Amino acid sequence: MKKRGLIAFFLVTFFALLTQIYFADEGMWPISEIHKLNLNAKGLEISPDEIFSPSDLSLIYAVVQVGATGSFVSPDGLIITNHHVAYRPVQAASTKEHDYVKHGFLAKDRSEEIPARGMTARITESFRDVSGEVLSVLKEGMDRVERTKAIEKRKKEIVARTEKTNPGKRAEVSEMFSGKSYVLFLYTHLKDIRLVYVPPRSIGEFGGDVDNWMWPRHTGDFSFLRAYVAPDGSPADHSLKNVPFRPKRFFQVNANGVNEGDFVFMLGYPGRTYRHQTSHFWAYDEEVRMPYVVDWYGWQIALMEKMGEGDREIALKHLSRIKGLSNTMKNYQGKLKGMKRLGLVKTKKEQEKALQEYILADKDRTERYGDLIKKMGDIVEDMRERAEYELILNYLGRSALLTSLGCTAYEASIERAKPDLERESAYMDRNFSRTKQRLFLSLRNYYEPTDKAILKEMLQRATHLPEELQIPAVTAIIKDKGPKETIETFIEDAYSRTKLNDEAVLKNVFTKSTEELMNMKDPFIQLAADLYPTNLLKKEADKARKGLYDQLYAQLLDVKQEFLKTDFIPDANRTLRLTFGRIRGYRPMDAVYYKPVTTLDGVLEKSTGEEPFDTPEKIFALYKAKDFGRFAHPDSKSLPVCILYDMDTTGGNSGSPVLDACGQLVGVNFDRAWEATINDYAWSASYSRSIGVDIRYVLWVTQKYGGVDYLLKEMGIPE
Amino acid sequence: MKKRGLIAFFLVTFFALLTQIYFADEGMWPISEIHKLNLNAKGLEISPDEIFSPSDLSLIYAVVQVGATGSFVSPDGLIITNHHVAYRPVQAASTKEHDYVKHGFLAKDRSEEIPARGMTARITESFRDVSGEVLSVLKEGMDRVERTKAIEKRKKEIVARTEKTNPGKRAEVSEMFSGKSYVLFLYTHLKDIRLVYVPPRSIGEFGGDVDNWMWPRHTGDFSFLRAYVAPDGSPADHSLKNVPFRPKRFFQVNANGVNEGDFVFMLGYPGRTYRHQTSHFWAYDEEVRMPYVVDWYGWQIALMEKMGEGDREIALKHLSRIKGLSNTMKNYQGKLKGMKRLGLVKTKKEQEKALQEYILADKDRTERYGDLIKKMGDIVEDMRERAEYELILNYLGRSALLTSLGCTAYEASIERAKPDLERESAYMDRNFSRTKQRLFLSLRNYYEPTDKAILKEMLQRATHLPEELQIPAVTAIIKDKGPKETIETFIEDAYSRTKLNDEAVLKNVFTKSTEELMNMKDPFIQLAADLYPTNLLKKEADKARKGLYDQLYAQLLDVKQEFLKTDFIPDANRTLRLTFGRIRGYRPMDAVYYKPVTTLDGVLEKSTGEEPFDTPEKIFALYKAKDFGRFAHPDSKSLPVCILYDMDTTGGNSGSPVLDACGQLVGVNFDRAWEATINDYAWSASYSRSIGVDIRYVLWVTQKYGGVDYLLKEMGIPE
């Protein structure tokens, strides 16, 4: 395609897109904003006060953050979330004899519920703006690093003070617009979460990586958990004396579900979006960061798949990591395709051009903002130059488990020696046990040949960095011999001598001082020590960059707000948000229409008998008998399985309740359509569609397949 | 999936399918049958007599066989067919300086038209049933080979006699139901065909192998040719003295096209279907033949793609073969998927079971037909046992060009020594020059390293055949050394010594006697001589098998007809057929609907700037200007590109006219949807959809892109 043709085409598409972006129902709205939305005019049939008002009865108290999102669906702390959100604890609880991933898990009564290891639950209790208090620490003449550090310190102080006056609660200061606005959230934090009912992966993960990020979808991606507290109602670690948590509010389940065109809304904890970033930042992601990650994750997946060939046990060890890597990789591939197809960077550049014209049209504005966009571009230019170096440094310390163990242990010894408030977040008292727990869980799936191959590849990539960006720790390994043989020798020696992969040793490691650690003479502690100064320099550089960027970013928002005469919604940041829309299909390409409700027919059509399409025989029998109970779709003779809607979601919204006009639960959100992976950058009325499992399928599987009638009773489903 | 579940599922699907197969508008109807169809009740608005009656004005005279199918669209012999049907002659006419494949071909007036090398055109003139005359040669006591040979000979006699009394015409006796009914067709045979207008491959082959067999489709798969005859109107070889052929009838073009739901019908020359074959035969295709071909073609494609890497000229040499192999491979893959999904073999088995019950319910029937189905199964059982041997023997003589040249030359020397009527068809006087021409055209794309690698692989596969099926010619190469080294030595030696790849030598070869050939001492003649006795044995075995099979097959049809109380339509056999249906979308899977008309929007959506999605800049400009002339779709603001319909087609229908209720041309058929590749075995109302290029796109491209206004005028398109 010739350039001029391309441009012509994009101009057409992009004006269409512009219209959509600015006039459609985009938005992950902070709870503080929902009263501005006029939701009743949009289709909501209850008062917005029911969703949130400072009363104790608000629906927001039925929403729970469990890594991603979940919902209370009974007065006894019953939580519904996604199968994939509960995947790690289910895997951790599985043994050769009891493979809960494969066969699912069912507690016949509460005494049979087992701990969901590593899982906690947070409930948003309250929030208030603390921007003034945070920004008051900034003083004239502070340099960039000082600015960042001062803000970080003030945030920690506010958190510490709040938690002190609210014993048992967790506090967090979230950056809404970085450098500009900050909100203090107070959370109830529950630590005893248990598995109640988890369908087998042939239902809960039906379609696997093949269908991931795809519509039409047929995945029963749900699980039931339960939160427990001490008999006095306070959050407590797991104990048999604990009693079910009684949430302030839980969602009524509407067993009739919703249908095409119905109004729906969602509450949840979306993770991260970049909608307010500049075109330079988007271009960096599109041209540099995401292609690198896609390549590196793809390399690791190929390696792990090869390692697992012909040995089911080794393959199982890699399963969870492959799942994680491939999830991100496919997401990025979708984003890259979408960004290109919609010409997002071009669109953003046009917007910035218009903004720049607005700035230059006024002398005062020119003085204040004239070189703002250029300066922000310069920062990204610097990021581009150092991108490969920074990516390699990052993955060198993270991708192989043993370097990750070594680096964490070494860094812990240094950070833990500081006063709590001055430590990096992962090493603060409130987070440290979780940091360690994650490492111990990873160790369960450790497989030496894979770990060696990953480290080897990363070291080799590091040797190809330009002269001036060589990493001293890597240079030390290569010394004066050729890179290939010395890397291999180093790896063979290091893996044969290390003790860090011994769980008993690892436990002790986190109590040692830096000196004691070094005395262990462990090669991965040594490597960590060699990498530490380089990482420290990088962290300082990051802070300097953030200090400057945040300052500019705040100015950018000011002038954009002035220009467009509108308020903005902050980018997603793992705080509670509301989004709304309708059950709606879409046109993924010319002459194709995707309907917004899939059925059990599709499950059977896709079933091949082989993973990930290995539907259990009982489902076939129920299908043949047309035994859909009360859950059949009114328009069809089949059973709804998944639903599609044009709400605005991103990662972190997994497990979020899909709620009907009356605020009753009709589905559990779990994914986006391939074309909607671009949500992180821009929302599109044509393409932004998210996917939930239909409550009718959840209830049908639970009752007819799982035989767990008591859960339907507990949720108050009429018979 | 457990077996019982699968069966349950298939039972459901397959009863649904049964209903569809027997009650929907399946059928590639012989022209002799169309008066039984009540086409006016189905939607035809002209009299069926207009399509065919013994008058000279029938529409069938506007249909022409050019390899596949084409249509006369002007009184001056202008033919429209597919781009891919004209591909070989366009490629053959291309040079480095004039790449007509890439840039397209345009004759600004008739003097600029150039020969379409290797292309001829046949028009069905008349037909009559000759079953009695053919079958009268069968005598009691003939063995199976004798039966087959006697029928072949009688068919040749009828052809020779008919051609003698109809000078300049071609005759053909076509087996309608093998062993049962035969029809004599008389054809006008035109030999001077020229290229008129061929769009560039970026339009005519848009989507390439990626989109092949797929809907939604956006390919402008059409070309214009013209047929010429001697000044006296008789068929003649190419000469500048020739004049345009004046067909008895040509199609009016309807520039308004058709829309969703409209009645359409088609005339054409479908190649081969297997609907009346037994379940054993289908299972053999599904389990043995097609998987082998998919594997072998896939191997060759991978090889050729590797050979062409980094060298455009070498890549170009492989293009046409890759295209052909990949077309068949993807078709078979679609069939394999469809046969499995619809459980076709199971369906057929159930039908045979019902038939067998009917047979056994009557003593007389039991006597005549009791073991009929079993006997037919036994023949296929024998085919299965010898399958790999026969496939390898076949590809050994065909896949590498030099073995193909050697074998053809050697066989020619033997066959050409016999009286004309006793020769294998390819070596009869009427066909021999075409046989040679095909080889010479192949030689243009010869690339030694590819040819060597293919022969080597085939020889190696041959060495793995079971002891008792070893091929003596291969055993002779291996002798007593290990297979690997001797095969390599043989190949190096043979390719260094052969002269067959020299066009001048090759021309002489076909005039030599067997003895003269052997005296050449060419290694590929020697290999052909070594393979010849084995091939001869295989041919005799084939004839014996056919002799028996045809006999049983005729009986099977008799009893099936008796059982189902219905007439059958013969399987497709390259004779003129009619099919009808409607412009209709379909549901390829749960929650997805394919609409039956694509638009130019989709062309632009798919365009990436890289082959096969490299839309010309001018198309972008026309799109931007919304310059759709009079061809825009009435319901939309865009231009229709391709149409989808539920007519019953197969290979050979390429280029067939899609005709509206008034018998006017509204499209040119060129493909089937992926799900419809199973048409060769069974027609399905849900999945059997074929694809045509919309006449509005044809005319728009011709006028607005090609600037060939005179062609629109010639076709009588109002301005």
Side-chain angles (χ1 to χ4, degrees):
Chain A
M1 196 175 352
K2 303 294 161 45
K3 272 208 181 136
R4 253 182 303 157
L6 248 184
I7 291 169
F9 176 50
F10 280 133
L11 281 177
V12 172
T13 330
F14 122 68
F15 283 117
L17 188 74
L18 263 183
T19 326
Q20 289 161 4
I21 287 180
Y22 287 116
F23 302 111
D25 283 323
E26 174 185 9
M28 303 177 184
W29 300 87
I31 297 307
S32 56
E33 306 296 302
I34 60 176
H35 292 279
K36 301 176 186 165
L37 290 177
N38 199 3
L39 283 173
N40 290 125
K42 304 278 164 68
L44 184 72
E45 289 176 19
I46 55 175
S47 159
D49 281 352
E50 277 223 50
I51 300 173
F52 176 70
S53 68
S55 98
D56 270 1
L57 291 170
S58 304
L59 283 178
I60 69 157
Y61 299 118
V63 185
V64 61
Q65 190 176 23
V66 283
T69 307
S71 308
F72 287 116
V73 284
S74 93
D76 287 343
L78 186 67
I79 294 171
I80 188 166
T81 184
N82 290 148
H83 185 272
H84 79 265
V85 170
Y87 184 83
R88 271 171 180 275
V90 173
Q91 199 201 22
S94 294
T95 58
K96 246 188 170 173
E97 295 72 38
H98 298 287
D99 187 340
Y100 299 134
V101 173
K102 187 165 180 190
H103 302 296
F105 173 80
L106 164 60
K108 285 205 209 70
D109 56 42
R110 291 191 189 163
S111 71
E112 288 189 4
E113 294 171 1
I114 58 173
R117 280 180 61 187
M119 193 165 242
T120 60
R122 305 203 309 187
I123 304 145
T124 299
E125 291 297 331
S126 64
F127 48 85
R128 69 180 174 86
D129 190 285
V130 291
S131 310
E133 196 179 342
V134 171
L135 295 171
S136 68
V137 296
L138 297 181
K139 306 243 154 42
E140 282 296 322
M142 275 180 161
D143 75 14
R144 295 161 192 178
V145 181
E146 282 169 347
R147 290 177 68 93
T148 306
K149 286 188 172 170
I151 288 179
E152 273 173 22
K153 184 152 177 268
R154 172 56 57 91
K155 282 164 65 183
K156 285 177 184 170
E157 287 163 0
I158 296 173
V159 165
R161 187 199 334 128
T162 311
E163 289 188 352
K164 206 170 165 192
T165 54
N166 291 276
K169 303 271 190 253
R170 301 270 287 190
E172 208 161 284
V173 174
S174 297
E175 205 171 58
M176 305 310 280
F177 291 105
S178 50
K180 195 169 159 66
S181 69
Y182 298 84
V183 172
L184 168 67
F185 287 87
L186 191 65
Y187 297 99
T188 295
H189 187 72
L190 308 178
K191 291 176 283 184
D192 185 0
I193 312 297
R194 303 185 194 173
L195 303 179
V196 177
Y197 175 59
V198 180
R201 53 164 300 293
S202 54
I203 292 175
E205 208 185 314
F206 181 79
D209 287 346
V210 182
D211 273 9
N212 193 16
W213 302 111
M214 292 291 164
W215 184 262
R217 194 62 159 281
H218 298 87
T219 313
D221 196 349
F222 72 93
S223 287
F224 286 103
L225 314 170
R226 193 184 302 281
Y228 280 80
V229 286
D232 67 358
S234 66
D237 286 328
H238 177 70
S239 156
L240 290 179
K241 287 186 202 139
N242 286 350
V243 296
F245 171 71
R246 298 192 62 86
K248 287 186 193 165
R249 184 77 195 251
F250 65 92
F251 289 115
Q252 286 292 344
V253 170
N254 176 2
N256 296 321
V258 274
N259 297 306
E260 183 157 10
D262 287 354
F263 173 87
V264 278
F265 70 103
M266 185 188 294
L267 293 161
Y269 290 89
R272 197 95 192 78
T273 56
Y274 308 97
R275 296 190 190 162
H276 293 303
Q277 296 295 348
T278 63
S279 65
H280 318 94
F281 183 91
W282 284 11
Y284 167 79
D285 265 12
E286 182 175 355
E287 292 160 21
V288 183
R289 188 178 66 89
M290 290 200 287
Y292 192 92
V293 174
V294 165
D295 170 72
W296 174 232
Y297 284 16
W299 189 94
Q300 290 180 81
I301 292 167
L303 171 77
M304 292 181 194
E305 280 174 349
K306 214 173 138 75
M307 289 289 180
E309 265 171 25
D311 189 324
R312 175 75 184 158
E313 209 160 332
I314 295 173
L316 277 175
K317 275 180 178 294
H318 292 104
L319 219 59
S320 156
R321 276 184 79 186
I322 290 178
K323 203 173 142 90
L325 292 169
S326 138
N327 184 49
T328 302
M329 183 175 75
K330 208 165 167 187
N331 174 303
Y332 281 17
Q333 286 168 330
K335 282 185 174 116
L336 288 169
K337 195 183 156 189
M339 289 178 92
K340 198 177 166 193
R341 164 153 82 168
L342 296 174
L344 289 189
V345 170
K346 271 206 171 77
T347 313
K348 190 65 125 179
K349 273 197 198 307
E350 289 294 321
Q351 292 167 2
E352 285 167 359
K353 205 179 142 207
L355 179 65
Q356 185 68 13
E357 278 163 15
Y358 170 75
I359 291 171
L360 297 180
D362 178 89
K363 205 184 146 197
D364 184 46
R365 280 200 299 268
T366 307
E367 213 155 277
R368 277 192 294 158
Y369 306 118
D371 55 358
L372 179 63
I373 296 173
K374 192 196 161 302
K375 274 188 191 159
M376 294 184 84
D378 290 345
I379 296 179
V380 176
E381 207 42 58
D382 172 63
M383 279 164 70
R384 272 179 188 263
E385 273 163 31
R386 293 166 50 88
E388 201 184 349
Y389 165 77
E390 294 187 351
L391 284 159
I392 286 177
L393 198 59
N394 176 28
Y395 289 121
L396 198 52
R398 254 180 55 183
S399 292
L401 180 61
L402 282 184
T403 52
S404 171
L405 294 178
C407 289
T408 311
Y410 187 83
E411 203 171 28
S413 76
I414 291 175
E415 292 290 317
R416 300 283 294 166
K418 299 179 186 169
D420 197 46
L421 283 190
E422 285 171 28
R423 297 174 192 161
E424 294 283 330
S425 165
Y427 305 102
M428 290 173 72
D429 288 339
R430 58 203 293 277
N431 300 323
F432 191 48
S433 68
R434 221 174 140 66
T435 302
K436 287 186 290 184
Q437 197 180 24
R438 243 182 243 133
L439 291 177
F440 286 118
L441 283 176
S442 307
L443 199 55
R444 296 189 136 220
N445 290 325
Y446 175 67
Y447 181 63
E448 187 175 295
T450 301
D451 215 52
K452 277 181 173 173
I454 289 174
L455 180 56
K456 184 175 155 192
E457 175 70 15
M458 244 321 131
L459 285 170
Q460 269 163 357
R461 292 190 180 199
T463 64
H464 295 131
L465 285 169
E467 190 66 32
E468 68 281 11
L469 290 174
Q470 283 289 323
I471 299 164
V474 178
T475 319
I477 291 171
I478 302 173
K479 285 168 227 146
D480 44 6
K481 289 191 217 156
K484 205 184 152 198
E485 53 192 289
T486 45
I487 285 174
E488 267 173 28
T489 319
F490 166 78
I491 285 177
E492 287 310 320
D493 173 67
Y495 280 86
S496 70
R497 288 200 293 118
T498 188
K499 296 276 179 295
L500 289 189
N501 51 0
D502 178 334
E503 203 164 326
V505 173
L506 193 63
K507 262 188 185 136
N508 268 319
V509 151
F510 291 107
T511 62
K512 291 187 197 289
S513 71
T514 310
E515 201 187 337
E516 287 165 341
L517 268 186
M518 295 307 294
N519 284 339
M520 287 174 68
K521 305 273 181 219
D522 192 286
F524 286 99
I525 298 291
Q526 185 58 54
L527 180 61
D530 292 347
L531 282 168
Y532 186 76
T534 316
N535 274 318
L536 206 61
L537 279 174
K538 177 176 170 287
K539 273 188 193 162
E540 292 288 306
D542 287 348
K543 280 177 190 168
R545 198 186 276 159
K546 183 170 163 55
L548 177 58
Y549 198 83
D550 284 0
Q551 229 179 330
L552 300 171
Y553 186 72
Q555 291 180 42
L556 180 72
L557 288 176
D558 285 342
V559 68
K560 251 173 87 174
Q561 224 143 16
E562 194 186 313
F563 173 45
L564 296 172
K565 294 178 184 49
T566 174
D567 282 348
F568 296 126
I569 317 164
D571 267 315
N573 63 349
R574 298 218 154 270
T575 59
L576 188 59
R577 302 293 178 101
L578 175 140
T579 173
F580 63 93
R582 292 190 178 267
I583 303 293
R584 188 164 283 174
Y586 72 112
R587 167 200 178 283
M589 64 185 95
D590 186 35
V592 181
Y593 180 68
Y594 283 171
K595 298 179 191 175
V597 182
T598 61
T599 68
L600 196 57
D601 296 349
V603 175
L604 272 70
E605 283 171 14
K606 283 182 180 172
S607 296
T608 59
E610 274 165 41
E611 262 184 38
F613 297 105
D614 50 338
T615 301
E617 189 181 0
K618 193 170 174 185
I619 299 284
F620 278 88
L622 289 164
Y623 179 81
K624 194 191 156 191
K626 298 241 172 263
D627 186 1
F628 302 144
R630 53 164 296 171
F631 308 115
H633 189 284
D635 300 346
S636 86
K637 289 157 213 149
S638 195
L639 177 78
V641 172
C642 289
I643 46 179
L644 190 76
Y645 29 80
D646 59 3
M647 293 193 280
D648 191 1
T649 78
T650 188
N653 271 124
S654 278
S656 290
V658 180
L659 302 160
D660 64 13
C662 299
Q664 299 196 337
L665 190 94
V666 291
V668 184
N669 184 68
F670 70 92
D671 204 2
R672 279 169 284 163
W674 176 249
E675 290 83 359
T677 50
I678 50 143
N679 276 10
D680 297 359
Y681 299 92
W683 187 85
S684 147
S686 308
Y687 294 121
S688 288
R689 295 292 180 279
S690 299
I691 303 173
V693 53
D694 192 297
I695 196 66
R696 289 164 287 195
Y697 193 54
V698 171
L699 296 172
W700 182 79
V701 168
T702 304
Q703 181 177 54
K704 300 283 179 175
Y705 177 82
V708 204
D709 277 292
Y710 80 86
L711 281 184
L712 276 77
K713 215 168 272 172
E714 182 175 341
M715 290 183 278
I717 309 299
E719 285 189 23
Chain B
M1 196 177 347
K2 302 296 162 41
K3 273 208 181 135
R4 256 182 300 157
L6 249 183
I7 292 171
F9 176 49
F10 279 132
L11 280 177
V12 172
T13 329
F14 122 66
F15 282 118
L17 187 74
L18 263 184
T19 327
Q20 289 163 2
I21 289 181
Y22 287 115
F23 302 111
D25 283 323
E26 173 185 10
M28 302 176 185
W29 299 87
I31 298 305
S32 56
E33 307 296 302
I34 61 176
H35 292 280
K36 300 176 186 165
L37 290 177
N38 199 3
L39 282 173
N40 290 124
K42 305 278 164 67
L44 184 72
E45 288 176 19
I46 55 174
S47 159
D49 281 352
E50 276 224 50
I51 300 173
F52 177 68
S53 67
S55 101
D56 269 0
L57 291 169
S58 306
L59 283 178
I60 69 158
Y61 299 117
V63 185
V64 61
Q65 190 176 22
V66 282
T69 308
S71 308
F72 288 115
V73 284
S74 93
D76 285 343
L78 186 67
I79 294 172
I80 188 166
T81 184
N82 291 146
H83 185 271
H84 79 265
V85 171
Y87 184 82
R88 271 170 181 276
V90 173
Q91 199 201 20
S94 294
T95 59
K96 247 189 167 172
E97 295 71 39
H98 298 286
D99 188 341
Y100 300 134
V101 172
K102 186 164 180 190
H103 303 295
F105 172 82
L106 163 60
K108 285 205 208 73
D109 56 42
R110 290 190 192 165
S111 71
E112 288 189 5
E113 294 171 1
I114 58 172
R117 281 181 61 187
M119 193 166 242
T120 61
R122 306 203 307 186
I123 304 144
T124 300
E125 291 297 331
S126 64
F127 48 86
R128 68 180 173 87
D129 189 286
V130 291
S131 310
E133 195 179 344
V134 171
L135 295 170
S136 68
V137 295
L138 298 180
K139 305 246 154 40
E140 283 296 322
M142 275 179 161
D143 74 16
R144 296 161 193 178
V145 181
E146 283 168 348
R147 290 177 67 93
T148 306
K149 286 188 173 171
I151 289 179
E152 275 174 21
K153 185 155 176 266
R154 171 57 55 95
K155 282 164 63 182
K156 285 178 184 168
E157 287 163 1
I158 297 173
V159 165
R161 189 201 331 132
T162 311
E163 291 188 351
K164 206 171 165 191
T165 55
N166 292 277
K169 304 271 191 249
R170 301 270 288 191
E172 208 161 284
V173 173
S174 298
E175 203 171 60
M176 305 310 281
F177 292 104
S178 50
K180 194 169 158 68
S181 69
Y182 297 83
V183 171
L184 168 68
F185 286 87
L186 191 67
Y187 298 98
T188 295
H189 187 72
L190 308 178
K191 290 176 284 184
D192 184 0
I193 312 297
R194 303 186 193 172
L195 302 179
V196 178
Y197 175 59
V198 180
R201 54 168 300 294
S202 55
I203 292 175
E205 210 185 314
F206 181 78
D209 287 347
V210 182
D211 274 9
N212 193 14
W213 302 111
M214 293 290 166
W215 184 262
R217 194 62 158 280
H218 298 86
T219 313
D221 195 351
F222 73 92
S223 287
F224 285 103
L225 312 171
R226 194 184 304 279
Y228 281 79
V229 287
D232 66 358
S234 66
D237 287 327
H238 177 70
S239 156
L240 289 179
K241 287 185 202 141
N242 286 350
V243 297
F245 172 69
R246 297 192 63 86
K248 289 185 192 165
R249 183 77 195 248
F250 64 90
F251 290 114
Q252 287 292 345
V253 170
N254 176 2
N256 297 320
V258 274
N259 296 307
E260 183 158 10
D262 286 353
F263 173 87
V264 278
F265 71 102
M266 183 188 295
L267 293 161
Y269 290 88
R272 196 95 192 79
T273 56
Y274 309 97
R275 296 190 190 162
H276 293 303
Q277 295 295 347
T278 62
S279 65
H280 317 95
F281 183 91
W282 284 12
Y284 167 79
D285 265 11
E286 182 176 356
E287 292 160 19
V288 182
R289 188 178 67 87
M290 289 199 290
Y292 192 93
V293 174
V294 165
D295 170 72
W296 174 231
Y297 285 16
W299 190 94
Q300 290 179 84
I301 291 167
L303 171 78
M304 292 180 195
E305 281 174 348
K306 213 174 141 72
M307 289 288 180
E309 265 170 23
D311 189 324
R312 175 75 183 159
E313 209 160 332
I314 295 173
L316 277 177
K317 276 180 178 290
H318 292 104
L319 218 60
S320 157
R321 276 184 79 185
I322 289 178
K323 203 172 141 90
L325 292 169
S326 136
N327 184 49
T328 302
M329 184 175 77
K330 208 165 167 189
N331 174 303
Y332 282 15
Q333 286 168 331
K335 282 185 174 117
L336 288 169
K337 195 182 157 193
M339 289 179 92
K340 199 177 165 191
R341 165 153 83 167
L342 296 173
L344 289 190
V345 170
K346 271 206 172 78
T347 313
K348 191 64 126 179
K349 273 197 200 306
E350 289 292 322
Q351 292 168 0
E352 285 168 359
K353 205 179 143 207
L355 179 65
Q356 186 67 12
E357 277 163 16
Y358 170 76
I359 292 171
L360 297 179
D362 177 89
K363 206 184 145 198
D364 184 47
R365 281 200 298 267
T366 307
E367 213 156 277
R368 280 193 292 160
Y369 306 118
D371 55 359
L372 179 64
I373 296 172
K374 191 194 162 302
K375 274 188 191 159
M376 294 185 82
D378 290 344
I379 295 179
V380 177
E381 205 43 56
D382 172 62
M383 280 164 68
R384 272 180 188 263
E385 272 162 32
R386 293 167 49 89
E388 201 184 350
Y389 166 77
E390 294 188 351
L391 284 159
I392 286 177
L393 198 58
N394 176 28
Y395 290 121
L396 198 52
R398 255 181 54 184
S399 292
L401 180 61
L402 282 184
T403 53
S404 171
L405 295 178
C407 289
T408 311
Y410 187 83
E411 204 172 28
S413 75
I414 291 175
E415 292 290 317
R416 300 282 293 166
K418 299 179 187 169
D420 196 48
L421 284 190
E422 285 170 29
R423 297 174 192 160
E424 294 283 330
S425 165
Y427 304 102
M428 290 172 72
D429 288 338
R430 57 202 294 277
N431 300 322
F432 191 49
S433 67
R434 220 174 141 66
T435 302
K436 287 185 290 184
Q437 196 181 25
R438 242 181 244 134
L439 290 178
F440 285 118
L441 283 176
S442 307
L443 199 55
R444 296 189 135 220
N445 289 324
Y446 175 68
Y447 181 62
E448 187 175 294
T450 301
D451 216 52
K452 277 180 174 175
I454 289 173
L455 180 56
K456 184 175 154 192
E457 175 70 14
M458 245 319 129
L459 285 171
Q460 270 164 355
R461 291 190 182 199
T463 64
H464 296 130
L465 285 169
E467 190 66 32
E468 69 279 12
L469 291 174
Q470 283 289 323
I471 299 163
V474 179
T475 318
I477 292 171
I478 302 174
K479 286 170 224 143
D480 45 8
K481 290 190 214 154
K484 205 184 152 198
E485 54 192 288
T486 45
I487 286 175
E488 268 175 27
T489 317
F490 166 79
I491 286 178
E492 286 312 318
D493 173 66
Y495 279 86
S496 70
R497 288 201 292 119
T498 188
K499 295 277 179 297
L500 289 189
N501 51 359
D502 178 334
E503 203 164 326
V505 174
L506 193 63
K507 264 189 185 134
N508 269 320
V509 150
F510 292 107
T511 61
K512 290 186 197 287
S513 71
T514 309
E515 203 188 333
E516 288 165 342
L517 268 186
M518 294 306 294
N519 285 340
M520 288 175 67
K521 305 273 181 221
D522 193 284
F524 286 99
I525 298 291
Q526 185 58 53
L527 180 61
D530 292 346
L531 281 168
Y532 186 77
T534 317
N535 274 317
L536 206 61
L537 279 175
K538 177 176 169 289
K539 273 188 191 161
E540 292 287 306
D542 286 350
K543 281 179 187 168
R545 199 187 275 158
K546 183 170 163 54
L548 177 58
Y549 197 84
D550 284 0
Q551 230 180 329
L552 299 171
Y553 186 73
Q555 290 180 42
L556 180 72
L557 288 175
D558 286 342
V559 67
K560 253 173 87 174
Q561 223 143 18
E562 194 186 313
F563 173 47
L564 296 172
K565 295 180 183 49
T566 175
D567 281 349
F568 297 127
I569 316 164
D571 267 314
N573 62 349
R574 298 216 155 272
T575 59
L576 187 60
R577 304 292 179 102
L578 175 142
T579 174
F580 64 92
R582 291 189 179 269
I583 302 294
R584 188 164 282 173
Y586 73 112
R587 167 200 176 283
M589 64 184 95
D590 186 34
V592 181
Y593 180 68
Y594 282 171
K595 297 179 193 175
V597 182
T598 60
T599 69
L600 196 58
D601 297 349
V603 175
L604 273 70
E605 282 172 13
K606 283 182 180 172
S607 296
T608 60
E610 274 166 40
E611 261 184 41
F613 297 105
D614 50 338
T615 301
E617 189 181 1
K618 193 168 175 188
I619 298 284
F620 278 88
L622 289 165
Y623 179 81
K624 194 192 157 192
K626 298 238 172 266
D627 186 1
F628 303 143
R630 52 163 296 171
F631 307 115
H633 190 284
D635 301 347
S636 86
K637 290 157 216 148
S638 195
L639 177 78
V641 171
C642 289
I643 46 179
L644 190 76
Y645 29 79
D646 60 3
M647 292 193 280
D648 191 1
T649 78
T650 188
N653 272 123
S654 278
S656 290
V658 180
L659 303 160
D660 66 11
C662 299
Q664 298 196 339
L665 190 93
V666 290
V668 184
N669 184 68
F670 70 91
D671 203 2
R672 280 169 283 162
W674 177 247
E675 289 83 0
T677 48
I678 50 143
N679 277 10
D680 296 358
Y681 299 92
W683 187 85
S684 147
S686 309
Y687 294 120
S688 288
R689 295 292 180 280
S690 299
I691 303 172
V693 53
D694 193 297
I695 196 67
R696 289 165 285 195
Y697 193 54
V698 171
L699 297 173
W700 182 79
V701 168
T702 305
Q703 181 177 53
K704 300 283 179 175
Y705 178 82
V708 205
D709 278 292
Y710 79 86
L711 281 184
L712 276 77
K713 216 169 274 172
E714 183 175 341
M715 290 184 278
I717 308 298
E719 284 188 23

